[in-house]
Amino acid sequence: MSDKKFIKKIEYPGGKNELQKFIKKNLRYPKFALNNNIEGDVLIKYKINPNGNTTNIFIIKGIGYGCDNEAARIVKKLKYPKCPNRKINITTTKKILIKFRIPKLSIEYTITS
């Protein structure tokens, strides 16, 4: 069978691991959420146009406190490769779950006498 007959789905360059790294690197925990000890998951649906840009960003399940806006900001920054399908412009719809967890601080100390 020929590979040319099937429509290829657009994937983030480097796959899921690279996508997670991108989110972790760019995510800024909203101060309002931090000050109110808010943690949770934001589920977002978005489209990827044939040029690899994200559009139509929609919050399916949010947690508020600035987290929804921050998750949408991250999704807007995502850049996918141009559509891999020959002469067919396809818009792909994807969902992503962005987790907000308050970072745990660890302090190391030594007692000297």
Side-chain angles (χ1 to χ4, degrees):
M1 284 186 137
S2 174
D3 184 43
K4 295 175 186 173
K5 291 184 180 179
F6 295 101
I7 294 173
K8 294 178 186 169
K9 290 182 181 179
I10 292 178
E11 294 297 328
Y12 191 78
K16 273 187 177 179
N17 286 341
E18 288 302 314
L19 179 58
Q20 287 173 339
K21 281 182 194 173
F22 178 85
I23 292 169
K24 195 173 185 178
K25 180 182 170 192
N26 290 284
L27 187 74
R28 290 189 224 127
Y29 216 103
K31 276 187 183 174
F32 192 48
L34 210 49
N35 293 340
N36 288 283
N37 292 323
I38 300 299
E39 291 185 327
D41 302 336
V42 177
L43 182 60
I44 295 184
K45 184 166 113 177
Y46 61 100
K47 293 186 178 192
I48 305 161
N49 68 19
N51 291 326
N53 299 316
T54 56
T55 62
N56 296 62
I57 297 165
F58 178 75
I59 308 289
I60 296 172
K61 177 184 163 269
I63 56 174
Y65 294 87
C67 294
D68 302 351
N69 292 338
E70 177 59 12
R73 184 188 72 81
I74 293 290
V75 170
K76 281 180 195 167
K77 289 183 74 151
L78 293 176
K79 184 71 178 149
Y80 286 81
K82 287 191 177 192
C83 188
N85 300 296
R86 298 172 182 226
K87 298 179 186 175
I88 302 172
N89 286 334
I90 294 176
T91 299
T92 306
T93 301
K94 291 212 179 251
K95 288 181 188 172
I96 189 169
L97 189 69
I98 297 181
K99 298 175 185 244
F100 286 85
R101 302 291 181 268
I102 295 173
K104 307 293 182 239
L105 293 176
S106 64
I107 301 170
E108 292 184 29
Y109 60 92
T110 306
I111 299 174
T112 57
S113 45

